[in-house]
mmCIF file of all heavy atoms in Angstrom:
data_model
loop_
_atom_site.group_PDB
_atom_site.id
_atom_site.type_symbol
_atom_site.label_atom_id
_atom_site.label_comp_id
_atom_site.label_asym_id
_atom_site.label_seq_id
_atom_site.Cartn_x
_atom_site.Cartn_y
_atom_site.Cartn_z
ATOM 1 N N ASP A 272 -107.118 75.435 110.498
ATOM 2 C CA ASP A 272 -106.685 74.662 111.720
ATOM 3 C C ASP A 272 -105.999 73.480 111.188
ATOM 4 O O ASP A 272 -106.602 72.554 110.477
ATOM 5 C CB ASP A 272 -107.925 74.397 112.476
ATOM 6 C CG ASP A 272 -107.636 73.885 113.926
ATOM 7 O OD1 ASP A 272 -106.488 73.641 114.270
ATOM 8 O OD2 ASP A 272 -108.609 73.839 114.720
ATOM 9 N N VAL A 273 -104.713 73.350 111.443
ATOM 10 C CA VAL A 273 -103.876 72.288 110.855
ATOM 11 C C VAL A 273 -103.116 71.505 111.915
ATOM 12 O O VAL A 273 -102.531 72.102 112.853
ATOM 13 C CB VAL A 273 -102.870 72.949 109.887
ATOM 14 C CG1 VAL A 273 -101.922 71.876 109.280
ATOM 15 C CG2 VAL A 273 -103.640 73.666 108.768
ATOM 16 N N LEU A 274 -103.058 70.189 111.777
ATOM 17 C CA LEU A 274 -102.226 69.300 112.577
ATOM 18 C C LEU A 274 -101.010 68.945 111.775
ATOM 19 O O LEU A 274 -101.133 68.496 110.613
ATOM 20 C CB LEU A 274 -102.994 67.982 112.989
ATOM 21 C CG LEU A 274 -104.197 68.248 113.937
ATOM 22 C CD1 LEU A 274 -104.762 66.908 114.231
ATOM 23 C CD2 LEU A 274 -103.738 68.950 115.209
ATOM 24 N N VAL A 275 -99.810 69.130 112.341
ATOM 25 C CA VAL A 275 -98.538 68.754 111.658
ATOM 26 C C VAL A 275 -97.754 67.816 112.570
ATOM 27 O O VAL A 275 -97.555 68.074 113.716
ATOM 28 C CB VAL A 275 -97.705 70.028 111.348
ATOM 29 C CG1 VAL A 275 -96.481 69.641 110.559
ATOM 30 C CG2 VAL A 275 -98.547 71.147 110.691
ATOM 31 N N ASP A 276 -97.298 66.756 111.933
ATOM 32 C CA ASP A 276 -96.567 65.690 112.700
ATOM 33 C C ASP A 276 -95.012 65.862 112.407
ATOM 34 O O ASP A 276 -94.606 65.596 111.264
ATOM 35 C CB ASP A 276 -97.042 64.311 112.246
ATOM 36 C CG ASP A 276 -96.435 63.167 113.085
ATOM 37 O OD1 ASP A 276 -95.572 63.519 113.961
ATOM 38 O OD2 ASP A 276 -96.775 61.990 112.884
ATOM 39 N N PHE A 277 -94.347 66.229 113.399
ATOM 40 C CA PHE A 277 -92.836 66.384 113.259
ATOM 41 C C PHE A 277 -92.050 65.234 113.738
ATOM 42 O O PHE A 277 -90.870 65.260 113.818
ATOM 43 C CB PHE A 277 -92.386 67.639 114.036
ATOM 44 C CG PHE A 277 -92.966 68.915 113.494
ATOM 45 C CD1 PHE A 277 -93.931 69.601 114.253
ATOM 46 C CD2 PHE A 277 -92.428 69.547 112.368
ATOM 47 C CE1 PHE A 277 -94.440 70.849 113.754
ATOM 48 C CE2 PHE A 277 -92.906 70.745 111.909
ATOM 49 C CZ PHE A 277 -93.914 71.389 112.642
ATOM 50 N N SER A 278 -92.740 64.097 114.037
ATOM 51 C CA SER A 278 -92.067 62.958 114.674
ATOM 52 C C SER A 278 -91.073 62.281 113.797
ATOM 53 O O SER A 278 -90.095 61.712 114.253
ATOM 54 C CB SER A 278 -93.113 61.940 115.115
ATOM 55 O OG SER A 278 -93.827 61.424 114.018
ATOM 56 N N GLN A 279 -91.253 62.377 112.451
ATOM 57 C CA GLN A 279 -90.267 61.760 111.506
ATOM 58 C C GLN A 279 -89.175 62.805 111.135
ATOM 59 O O GLN A 279 -88.342 62.408 110.225
ATOM 60 C CB GLN A 279 -91.017 61.323 110.257
ATOM 61 C CG GLN A 279 -92.094 60.312 110.553
ATOM 62 C CD GLN A 279 -91.565 59.077 111.295
ATOM 63 O OE1 GLN A 279 -90.643 58.460 110.836
ATOM 64 N NE2 GLN A 279 -92.230 58.668 112.409
ATOM 65 N N ALA A 280 -89.185 63.935 111.725
ATOM 66 C CA ALA A 280 -88.156 64.970 111.406
ATOM 67 C C ALA A 280 -87.244 65.266 112.589
ATOM 68 O O ALA A 280 -86.687 66.386 112.685
ATOM 69 C CB ALA A 280 -88.773 66.188 110.866
ATOM 70 N N ALA A 281 -87.155 64.415 113.582
ATOM 71 C CA ALA A 281 -86.405 64.630 114.762
ATOM 72 C C ALA A 281 -84.974 64.994 114.434
ATOM 73 O O ALA A 281 -84.327 64.402 113.629
ATOM 74 C CB ALA A 281 -86.418 63.362 115.697
ATOM 75 N N GLY A 282 -84.494 66.131 115.035
ATOM 76 C CA GLY A 282 -83.100 66.563 114.820
ATOM 77 C C GLY A 282 -82.938 67.285 113.549
ATOM 78 O O GLY A 282 -81.764 67.641 113.230
ATOM 79 N N LYS A 283 -83.965 67.639 112.848
ATOM 80 C CA LYS A 283 -83.831 68.251 111.507
ATOM 81 C C LYS A 283 -84.556 69.646 111.617
ATOM 82 O O LYS A 283 -85.188 70.022 112.591
ATOM 83 C CB LYS A 283 -84.454 67.397 110.438
ATOM 84 C CG LYS A 283 -83.774 65.991 110.321
ATOM 85 C CD LYS A 283 -84.516 65.158 109.231
ATOM 86 C CE LYS A 283 -83.926 63.818 109.111
ATOM 87 N NZ LYS A 283 -84.573 63.000 108.111
ATOM 88 N N THR A 284 -84.428 70.321 110.502
ATOM 89 C CA THR A 284 -85.201 71.516 110.320
ATOM 90 C C THR A 284 -86.279 71.308 109.209
ATOM 91 O O THR A 284 -85.971 70.637 108.242
ATOM 92 C CB THR A 284 -84.328 72.768 109.887
ATOM 93 O OG1 THR A 284 -83.615 72.420 108.706
ATOM 94 C CG2 THR A 284 -83.346 73.101 111.008
ATOM 95 N N VAL A 285 -87.393 71.874 109.400
ATOM 96 C CA VAL A 285 -88.505 71.739 108.430
ATOM 97 C C VAL A 285 -89.041 73.185 108.094
ATOM 98 O O VAL A 285 -89.071 74.008 109.008
ATOM 99 C CB VAL A 285 -89.671 70.922 109.029
ATOM 100 C CG1 VAL A 285 -90.884 70.965 108.102
ATOM 101 C CG2 VAL A 285 -89.195 69.454 109.320
ATOM 102 N N HIS A 286 -89.330 73.403 106.871
ATOM 103 C CA HIS A 286 -89.740 74.672 106.427
ATOM 104 C C HIS A 286 -91.185 74.696 106.004
ATOM 105 O O HIS A 286 -91.617 73.772 105.252
ATOM 106 C CB HIS A 286 -88.857 75.281 105.342
ATOM 107 C CG HIS A 286 -87.453 75.556 105.855
ATOM 108 N ND1 HIS A 286 -86.460 74.707 105.624
ATOM 109 C CD2 HIS A 286 -86.963 76.572 106.509
ATOM 110 C CE1 HIS A 286 -85.322 75.225 106.149
ATOM 111 N NE2 HIS A 286 -85.585 76.367 106.743
ATOM 112 N N LEU A 287 -91.875 75.757 106.446
ATOM 113 C CA LEU A 287 -93.218 76.014 105.811
ATOM 114 C C LEU A 287 -92.934 77.088 104.658
ATOM 115 O O LEU A 287 -92.200 78.033 104.898
ATOM 116 C CB LEU A 287 -94.093 76.671 106.881
ATOM 117 C CG LEU A 287 -95.488 77.130 106.391
ATOM 118 C CD1 LEU A 287 -96.406 75.972 105.938
ATOM 119 C CD2 LEU A 287 -96.229 77.979 107.443
ATOM 120 N N LYS A 288 -93.498 76.745 103.547
ATOM 121 C CA LYS A 288 -93.235 77.606 102.373
ATOM 122 C C LYS A 288 -94.515 78.302 101.887
ATOM 123 O O LYS A 288 -95.603 77.774 101.968
ATOM 124 C CB LYS A 288 -92.715 76.666 101.210
ATOM 125 C CG LYS A 288 -91.375 76.009 101.472
ATOM 126 C CD LYS A 288 -90.832 75.319 100.246
ATOM 127 C CE LYS A 288 -91.713 74.151 99.764
ATOM 128 N NZ LYS A 288 -91.173 73.463 98.642
ATOM 129 N N ASN A 289 -94.315 79.545 101.409
ATOM 130 C CA ASN A 289 -95.371 80.245 100.673
ATOM 131 C C ASN A 289 -94.977 80.105 99.181
ATOM 132 O O ASN A 289 -94.060 80.816 98.751
ATOM 133 C CB ASN A 289 -95.428 81.694 101.085
ATOM 134 C CG ASN A 289 -96.504 82.421 100.211
ATOM 135 O OD1 ASN A 289 -97.564 81.923 100.041
ATOM 136 N ND2 ASN A 289 -96.199 83.621 99.847
ATOM 137 N N ALA A 290 -95.633 79.175 98.494
ATOM 138 C CA ALA A 290 -95.198 78.792 97.155
ATOM 139 C C ALA A 290 -93.733 78.377 97.225
ATOM 140 O O ALA A 290 -93.407 77.352 97.967
ATOM 141 C CB ALA A 290 -95.458 79.849 96.145
ATOM 142 N N ALA A 291 -92.804 78.977 96.573
ATOM 143 C CA ALA A 291 -91.420 78.577 96.496
ATOM 144 C C ALA A 291 -90.592 79.202 97.711
ATOM 145 O O ALA A 291 -89.408 78.728 97.860
ATOM 146 C CB ALA A 291 -90.757 78.994 95.196
ATOM 147 N N LEU A 292 -91.128 80.150 98.380
ATOM 148 C CA LEU A 292 -90.350 80.869 99.402
ATOM 149 C C LEU A 292 -90.552 80.267 100.801
ATOM 150 O O LEU A 292 -91.675 80.096 101.326
ATOM 151 C CB LEU A 292 -90.731 82.281 99.424
ATOM 152 C CG LEU A 292 -89.965 83.198 100.438
ATOM 153 C CD1 LEU A 292 -88.486 83.382 99.996
ATOM 154 C CD2 LEU A 292 -90.671 84.551 100.545
ATOM 155 N N GLU A 293 -89.424 79.915 101.467
ATOM 156 C CA GLU A 293 -89.516 79.413 102.793
ATOM 157 C C GLU A 293 -89.771 80.539 103.771
ATOM 158 O O GLU A 293 -88.970 81.564 103.758
ATOM 159 C CB GLU A 293 -88.185 78.683 103.215
ATOM 160 C CG GLU A 293 -87.928 77.458 102.366
ATOM 161 C CD GLU A 293 -86.565 76.852 102.602
ATOM 162 O OE1 GLU A 293 -85.705 77.541 103.148
ATOM 163 O OE2 GLU A 293 -86.344 75.696 102.270
ATOM 164 N N VAL A 294 -90.792 80.512 104.541
ATOM 165 C CA VAL A 294 -91.229 81.631 105.375
ATOM 166 C C VAL A 294 -91.207 81.342 106.861
ATOM 167 O O VAL A 294 -91.127 82.300 107.662
ATOM 168 C CB VAL A 294 -92.624 82.191 104.988
ATOM 169 C CG1 VAL A 294 -92.638 82.739 103.539
ATOM 170 C CG2 VAL A 294 -93.711 81.055 105.168
ATOM 171 N N LEU A 295 -91.130 80.092 107.309
ATOM 172 C CA LEU A 295 -91.071 79.747 108.679
ATOM 173 C C LEU A 295 -90.181 78.495 108.829
ATOM 174 O O LEU A 295 -90.487 77.479 108.103
ATOM 175 C CB LEU A 295 -92.462 79.566 109.248
ATOM 176 C CG LEU A 295 -92.551 79.098 110.731
ATOM 177 C CD1 LEU A 295 -91.925 80.133 111.642
ATOM 178 C CD2 LEU A 295 -94.033 78.883 111.139
ATOM 179 N N GLU A 296 -89.282 78.503 109.747
ATOM 180 C CA GLU A 296 -88.392 77.349 109.995
ATOM 181 C C GLU A 296 -88.743 76.722 111.283
ATOM 182 O O GLU A 296 -88.753 77.437 112.363
ATOM 183 C CB GLU A 296 -86.935 77.838 110.002
ATOM 184 C CG GLU A 296 -85.893 76.657 110.186
ATOM 185 C CD GLU A 296 -84.514 77.049 110.109
ATOM 186 O OE1 GLU A 296 -84.020 77.011 108.933
ATOM 187 O OE2 GLU A 296 -83.926 77.528 111.085
ATOM 188 N N PHE A 297 -89.054 75.446 111.284
ATOM 189 C CA PHE A 297 -89.291 74.612 112.467
ATOM 190 C C PHE A 297 -88.043 73.904 112.810
ATOM 191 O O PHE A 297 -87.488 73.060 111.966
ATOM 192 C CB PHE A 297 -90.370 73.652 112.245
ATOM 193 C CG PHE A 297 -91.738 74.246 112.049
ATOM 194 C CD1 PHE A 297 -92.189 74.599 110.784
ATOM 195 C CD2 PHE A 297 -92.628 74.550 113.162
ATOM 196 C CE1 PHE A 297 -93.426 75.182 110.590
ATOM 197 C CE2 PHE A 297 -93.816 75.088 112.870
ATOM 198 C CZ PHE A 297 -94.229 75.484 111.595
ATOM 199 N N ARG A 298 -87.463 74.135 113.951
ATOM 200 C CA ARG A 298 -86.210 73.446 114.385
ATOM 201 C C ARG A 298 -86.678 72.283 115.319
ATOM 202 O O ARG A 298 -87.009 72.564 116.462
ATOM 203 C CB ARG A 298 -85.257 74.403 115.079
ATOM 204 C CG ARG A 298 -84.788 75.503 114.155
ATOM 205 C CD ARG A 298 -83.888 76.520 114.845
ATOM 206 N NE ARG A 298 -83.498 77.577 113.851
ATOM 207 C CZ ARG A 298 -82.765 78.645 114.132
ATOM 208 N NH1 ARG A 298 -82.381 78.817 115.446
ATOM 209 N NH2 ARG A 298 -82.521 79.525 113.257
ATOM 210 N N VAL A 299 -86.607 71.103 114.817
ATOM 211 C CA VAL A 299 -87.150 69.979 115.569
ATOM 212 C C VAL A 299 -86.127 69.402 116.452
ATOM 213 O O VAL A 299 -84.982 69.117 116.024
ATOM 214 C CB VAL A 299 -87.699 68.834 114.557
ATOM 215 C CG1 VAL A 299 -88.418 67.772 115.348
ATOM 216 C CG2 VAL A 299 -88.601 69.485 113.498
ATOM 217 N N ALA A 300 -86.458 69.154 117.712
ATOM 218 C CA ALA A 300 -85.489 68.627 118.661
ATOM 219 C C ALA A 300 -85.269 67.172 118.401
ATOM 220 O O ALA A 300 -85.966 66.469 117.593
ATOM 221 C CB ALA A 300 -86.122 68.719 120.121
ATOM 222 N N ALA A 301 -84.191 66.626 119.061
ATOM 223 C CA ALA A 301 -83.814 65.231 118.793
ATOM 224 C C ALA A 301 -84.910 64.317 119.422
ATOM 225 O O ALA A 301 -85.778 64.717 120.186
ATOM 226 C CB ALA A 301 -82.527 64.984 119.515
ATOM 227 N N ALA A 302 -84.906 63.099 118.916
ATOM 228 C CA ALA A 302 -85.911 62.094 119.351
ATOM 229 C C ALA A 302 -85.797 61.992 120.866
ATOM 230 O O ALA A 302 -84.729 61.952 121.500
ATOM 231 C CB ALA A 302 -85.654 60.830 118.658
ATOM 232 N N ASN A 303 -86.954 61.769 121.557
ATOM 233 C CA ASN A 303 -87.046 61.641 123.009
ATOM 234 C C ASN A 303 -88.133 60.604 123.333
ATOM 235 O O ASN A 303 -89.304 60.835 122.840
ATOM 236 C CB ASN A 303 -87.340 62.987 123.559
ATOM 237 C CG ASN A 303 -87.283 62.968 125.130
ATOM 238 O OD1 ASN A 303 -87.528 61.954 125.791
ATOM 239 N ND2 ASN A 303 -86.993 64.104 125.697
ATOM 240 N N ALA A 304 -87.844 59.595 124.014
ATOM 241 C CA ALA A 304 -88.801 58.538 124.319
ATOM 242 C C ALA A 304 -89.977 59.013 125.123
ATOM 243 O O ALA A 304 -91.046 58.424 125.157
ATOM 244 C CB ALA A 304 -88.044 57.418 125.064
ATOM 245 N N SER A 305 -89.783 60.193 125.810
ATOM 246 C CA SER A 305 -90.804 60.689 126.657
ATOM 247 C C SER A 305 -91.852 61.519 125.949
ATOM 248 O O SER A 305 -92.883 61.911 126.487
ATOM 249 C CB SER A 305 -90.220 61.554 127.797
ATOM 250 O OG SER A 305 -89.690 62.700 127.264
ATOM 251 N N VAL A 306 -91.674 61.775 124.637
ATOM 252 C CA VAL A 306 -92.556 62.561 123.858
ATOM 253 C C VAL A 306 -93.846 61.798 123.632
ATOM 254 O O VAL A 306 -93.829 60.679 123.204
ATOM 255 C CB VAL A 306 -91.955 63.006 122.472
ATOM 256 C CG1 VAL A 306 -92.995 63.659 121.575
ATOM 257 C CG2 VAL A 306 -90.768 63.909 122.710
ATOM 258 N N ARG A 307 -94.951 62.477 123.917
ATOM 259 C CA ARG A 307 -96.264 61.802 123.814
ATOM 260 C C ARG A 307 -96.672 61.606 122.387
ATOM 261 O O ARG A 307 -96.587 62.552 121.605
ATOM 262 C CB ARG A 307 -97.297 62.628 124.618
ATOM 263 C CG ARG A 307 -98.734 62.156 124.468
ATOM 264 C CD ARG A 307 -99.634 63.001 125.295
ATOM 265 N NE ARG A 307 -101.062 62.622 125.139
ATOM 266 C CZ ARG A 307 -101.903 63.292 124.365
ATOM 267 N NH1 ARG A 307 -101.478 64.328 123.688
ATOM 268 N NH2 ARG A 307 -103.171 62.937 124.251
ATOM 269 N N SER A 308 -97.099 60.418 122.026
ATOM 270 C CA SER A 308 -97.598 60.188 120.664
ATOM 271 C C SER A 308 -98.983 60.683 120.561
ATOM 272 O O SER A 308 -99.804 60.777 121.560
ATOM 273 C CB SER A 308 -97.433 58.723 120.272
ATOM 274 O OG SER A 308 -98.244 57.928 121.198
ATOM 275 N N PHE A 309 -99.440 60.947 119.315
ATOM 276 C CA PHE A 309 -100.808 61.399 119.137
ATOM 277 C C PHE A 309 -101.226 60.932 117.751
ATOM 278 O O PHE A 309 -100.543 61.063 116.729
ATOM 279 C CB PHE A 309 -100.810 63.010 119.163
ATOM 280 C CG PHE A 309 -102.219 63.488 118.800
ATOM 281 C CD1 PHE A 309 -103.200 63.605 119.800
ATOM 282 C CD2 PHE A 309 -102.479 63.962 117.478
ATOM 283 C CE1 PHE A 309 -104.454 64.165 119.443
ATOM 284 C CE2 PHE A 309 -103.753 64.475 117.161
ATOM 285 C CZ PHE A 309 -104.713 64.547 118.182
ATOM 286 N N ALA A 310 -102.381 60.344 117.746
ATOM 287 C CA ALA A 310 -102.999 59.830 116.457
ATOM 288 C C ALA A 310 -104.038 60.809 115.979
ATOM 289 O O ALA A 310 -104.885 61.220 116.763
ATOM 290 C CB ALA A 310 -103.621 58.460 116.671
#
């Protein structure tokens, strides 16, 4: 069970890797002031 914070990757792509191989691409939307923050 994992929490991942994409707030610093707005407008970018982020990859989950299995060792060296990228297996899942997260396409992060642009920054939006209405996005709820979470600690």
Side-chain angles (χ1 to χ4, degrees):
D272 194 349
V273 177
L274 295 180
V275 185
D276 187 358
F277 295 106
S278 62
Q279 300 304 308
K283 301 177 181 179
T284 58
V285 173
H286 292 101
L287 177 67
K288 298 188 294 183
N289 177 44
L292 181 68
E293 296 173 343
V294 294
L295 177 60
E296 181 174 270
F297 295 89
R298 299 177 181 177
V299 188
N303 187 334
S305 65
V306 172
R307 175 176 174 262
S308 61
F309 176 84

